[in-house]
Amino acid sequence: IAGPSRCIARACPNLPSPARHLLAARPVRKIIVDDHAPLRARAHGSLKRAAMGRRPARAVDAGGTTLLPAPMAPPRPRVLFLHGYTSNGTLFARKLAGLLGALDIEPVFVTAPHEARAGWVEEAAAELGERGAARSWFRDEPKPSRAAGREEDDDGWGESLAAIALAAGSGGFDGVVGFSQGCRAALRLQSVAPGPIRFVVLCASPDCAADARLGLLCVPSLHVLGEADSLVPRADSEATMRAFAPSSPAGAAAEVFVHAGAHTVPSSPEFASKLRAF
């Protein structure tokens, strides 16, 4: 790295000896630029000193008083939202816009990779505005596959997990909110990545206890039930509740929120308040 400076010293023999000494002794810094995060090099300023681990410069006003930097706000929880069958991430985000406005979170909506093929898909396509926009986290018709030396059905979860991992990036998620079939995906996700996720909210959950493949899930959970839900019986949601341990390591037991609505995620102020407290 110090080679260029020595070349300059040899090429300029008339330089005063102190300057030649500095050039020969001071290495030329090598700057590595990450193509995914372009950097602007600055010769001076607190950004460079902070990056080198030195104490940044302090701001001083005209009167010579040191101005303390404003405290940084804590990062908002990053929450993954998993839509229901025949929906997609865009539509789910649109439906939850009112609720999200009352929450201080960073929401991430992912669209499932499989096309939904149920009998009411035509109705869903009309709402979504195009065919093929009705999605599913699992294949409607699982494909036979051979894994670990035995025959089993591939329900497409691998592709869904890959789509979620792509959205997660290196940051991961603090919590997961699942609606209807999205609750199955939430339980599968918690089974394969139990560490980083700190809470789970399940709305209108069908009976998906079988998706908790590692036994009882030890994570705080909130179960949202609609009194007028004609698609998912309350008994099914209660069966899913039994997939969670009576209390998490932090001591938080599974909680229940009952609303008067049907098969939907409530958007009432009461539900928003419950989520903030949870």
Side-chain angles (χ1 to χ4, degrees):
I1 296 176
S5 60
R6 295 197 184 99
C7 293
I8 295 172
R10 288 197 297 269
C12 304
N14 295 325
L15 282 174
S17 57
R20 292 172 57 81
H21 172 72
L22 289 174
L23 281 172
R26 180 175 297 173
V28 176
R29 292 192 180 277
K30 184 178 181 182
I31 301 176
I32 301 175
V33 179
D34 185 353
D35 291 334
H36 297 287
L39 303 177
R40 291 185 177 180
R42 296 187 179 183
H44 304 285
S46 60
L47 286 179
K48 183 178 179 182
R49 285 191 290 272
M52 295 171 62
R54 299 178 183 175
R55 185 177 180 180
R58 294 178 296 177
V60 180
D61 66 7
T65 303
T66 300
L67 303 178
L68 297 177
M72 294 183 62
R76 296 183 299 166
R78 196 163 187 250
V79 182
L80 172 66
F81 286 80
L82 302 174
H83 62 79
Y85 186 64
T86 72
S87 185
N88 60 43
T90 301
L91 179 63
F92 197 34
R94 192 185 309 156
K95 290 186 173 182
L96 297 187
L99 177 64
L100 294 175
L103 303 175
D104 187 20
I105 62 172
E106 179 188 346
V108 178
F109 291 83
V110 182
T111 294
H114 304 290
E115 184 176 357
R117 301 180 181 276
W120 64 86
V121 165
E122 292 296 335
E123 178 183 346
E127 181 182 12
L128 297 171
E130 58 177 314
R131 287 187 57 85
R135 313 303 292 177
S136 172
W137 295 107
F138 304 94
R139 291 194 183 97
D140 287 345
E141 298 178 1
K143 295 181 178 180
S145 66
R146 187 173 184 82
R150 65 179 185 276
E151 294 289 341
E152 62 179 20
D153 289 337
D154 178 8
D155 59 6
W157 169 243
E159 291 90 333
S160 295
L161 183 59
I164 294 172
L166 182 63
S170 60
F173 300 108
D174 296 292
V176 181
V177 176
F179 169 66
S180 196
Q181 191 200 59
C183 297
R184 289 192 59 198
L187 263 66
R188 288 277 187 100
L189 182 63
Q190 178 62 18
S191 294
V192 298
I197 298 174
R198 297 189 290 111
F199 63 88
V200 176
V201 179
L202 303 179
C203 303
S205 171
D207 183 356
C208 46
D211 291 286
R213 296 184 171 182
L214 298 181
L216 292 178
L217 300 176
C218 297
V219 60
S221 60
L222 174 63
H223 304 263
V224 184
L225 291 69
E227 292 181 336
D229 192 340
S230 59
L231 294 179
V232 175
R234 180 164 180 161
D236 287 0
S237 296
E238 292 174 345
T240 299
M241 290 175 57
R242 291 192 288 272
F244 291 83
S247 63
S248 70
E255 300 183 30
V256 179
F257 181 88
V258 180
H259 61 95
H263 192 69
T264 185
V265 178
S267 57
S268 63
E270 293 78 13
F271 183 56
S273 177
K274 179 65 176 179
L275 286 178
R276 287 193 297 267
F278 181 70

